Amino acid sequence: MNGAAAAAPQVAPAGGAWQALAPFPRPTWELEGVECDGRLFLIGGLTNAWGARSGWKPDRLVYEYVATDDRWRQCADLPAARHHLALAELDGRIYAFGGYRTPAHGADAWEPVAEAWRYDPRDDRWEAIAPLPAARGAAAAAALGGVIYVAGGSRACKRRDEVAPSAQAPHASIGDVLVYDPRADRYREAAPLLTARNHHLLEAVGGRLYAMGGRVGSSNAFTLTNRIDLVEEYDPDDDTWWPRARMLAAHGGMAAGTHDGAIYVCGGDALTMVEKFDPIRDAWSVAAELPRARLGASGGCVNGRFHVVTGHVRTAAGGSEPVSDHLALPLECAVRATARTGLSPG
């Protein structure tokens, strides 16, 4: 009932219509992208090579892409080095929730945090807001109806006799959904996700929220984790989540953006496919193909183009490395080919 496979999807021509734009200032991955007043901001990130073997090195990066000059402008740093934050824009300000930090002592692990901040691009300033009720990383956030929803994520697990989690400790997925009211600077609870998840997406279109993909079981890919293709729609009027058509592939750690009532998704778990979701038809299609697969890319839809920036790619020698490239897809060039549909919206 969540969608049946149809004809094999079509894709954009080889090479497609991707445009190469100004690269990000340095090779990075796991930056979080957010659109604010028609501008694209990238925040946080990891700048080391893949995996705990070289240490997790979170950053405080904040950059704005200046489309008129095709350049990146450095903004005020994050108050602290973080990766896998949940970002959302509301009324011209950017809100950042949770994420992971490197523990002050012990193993080089992903330690979830509860801090939350607000950034005002007009005066290039960060300020602390009420922290989350409990620490979480790899959550997703979106603004709807004057408030911000923070959904899912993960928390670190540890054995009974451990003071702190080990470097390879699993992370338990979270299904809770919090609603942050910026006027009152406090949280309330909404209906939980049908499926607890992390490394997923949360996008707002047409007065509804859509939670898409992600991981279950754990967060860090070096521990036991499973990718999912499940999609849920949230109706704020009756505080319910409802299944929608599954994604074309199971993946997490994706980049996404909205344009003209549709949601565009790409990357994550080394996929090249760019998926397009039409909420009205409850249908997924393949819009294009990335020139090369990547994990932990960032981006968003700004001024009619879907930007895909940075990420982690495989090397010819069988390893992997962060990259700084910046591609943009003019969305009028995207191929519209239905690949999977589900129930029509009620």
Side-chain angles (χ1 to χ4, degrees):
M1 298 297 288
N2 290 339
Q10 302 173 15
V11 298
W18 291 102
Q19 303 168 344
L21 301 177
F24 194 71
R26 61 169 128 159
T28 311
W29 61 305
E30 300 297 2
L31 287 155
E32 304 301 331
V34 62
E35 305 116 71
C36 181
D37 287 341
R39 296 176 287 170
L40 177 64
F41 290 82
L42 299 189
I43 298 173
L46 290 166
T47 54
N48 59 307
W50 173 272
R53 298 180 191 88
S54 59
W56 301 104
K57 299 176 182 176
D59 231 320
R60 299 174 61 190
L61 301 179
V62 181
Y63 276 86
E64 174 197 351
Y65 176 63
V66 182
T68 53
D69 300 327
D70 187 28
R71 65 180 176 88
W72 292 93
R73 182 180 72 87
Q74 187 170 10
C75 305
D77 286 349
L78 267 174
R82 297 287 183 268
H83 60 99
H84 289 87
L85 302 101
L87 300 183
E89 180 273 338
L90 179 62
D91 295 332
R93 295 176 177 85
I94 297 170
Y95 293 79
F97 303 90
Y100 302 117
R101 69 181 174 194
T102 300
H105 305 285
D108 186 10
W110 292 12
E111 182 180 0
V113 298
E115 293 105 324
W117 300 299
R118 174 170 52 217
Y119 174 71
D120 192 334
R122 293 168 294 189
D123 57 12
D124 192 27
R125 185 173 66 89
W126 289 90
E127 63 178 335
I129 59 175
L132 296 165
R136 67 178 71 191
L144 183 65
V147 295
I148 299 173
Y149 291 79
V150 183
S154 73
R155 58 178 177 81
C157 301
K158 64 180 181 180
R159 299 186 185 279
R160 183 172 300 176
D161 58 349
E162 289 180 327
V163 176
S166 67
Q168 300 297 322
H171 284 204
S173 296
I174 296 171
D176 295 349
V177 177
L178 301 171
V179 184
Y180 175 72
D181 184 342
R183 294 172 297 275
D185 191 30
R186 63 170 179 257
Y187 302 85
R188 61 176 173 84
E189 292 187 359
L193 294 164
L194 299 177
T195 302
R197 61 184 78 195
N198 62 80
H199 278 81
H200 56 295
L201 298 170
L202 189 69
E203 298 289 336
V205 175
R208 305 286 176 93
L209 292 176
Y210 295 88
M212 298 169 287
R215 298 174 183 168
V216 296
S218 190
S219 180
N220 190 328
F222 288 95
T223 57
L224 185 61
T225 186
N226 291 297
R227 301 181 295 271
I228 60 174
D229 59 3
L230 301 178
V231 178
E232 303 174 18
E233 179 190 77
Y234 177 76
D235 183 350
D237 291 337
D238 60 6
D239 189 31
T240 56
W241 292 91
W242 209 256
R244 289 304 182 197
R246 294 173 182 246
M247 306 180 78
L248 302 180
H251 49 156
M254 304 153 282
T258 62
H259 173 75
D260 195 24
I263 302 171
Y264 291 82
V265 178
C266 82
D269 296 304
L271 295 176
T272 60
M273 178 172 55
V274 178
E275 298 176 76
K276 176 183 177 181
F277 180 60
D278 182 341
I280 300 299
R281 298 174 57 242
D282 194 24
W284 288 91
S285 60
V286 178
E289 293 280 341
L290 284 166
R292 58 178 175 173
R294 66 188 66 204
L295 170 69
S298 307
C301 295
V302 179
N303 299 324
R305 294 190 294 187
F306 183 28
H307 295 256
V308 180
V309 195
T310 68
H312 216 270
V313 301
R314 294 293 183 184
T315 63
S320 58
E321 62 184 3
V323 296
S324 59
D325 57 349
H326 175 191
L327 302 173
L329 176 71
L331 293 176
E332 66 271 15
C333 298
V335 174
R336 185 167 180 159
T338 298
R340 177 180 283 174
T341 59
L343 297 173
S344 299

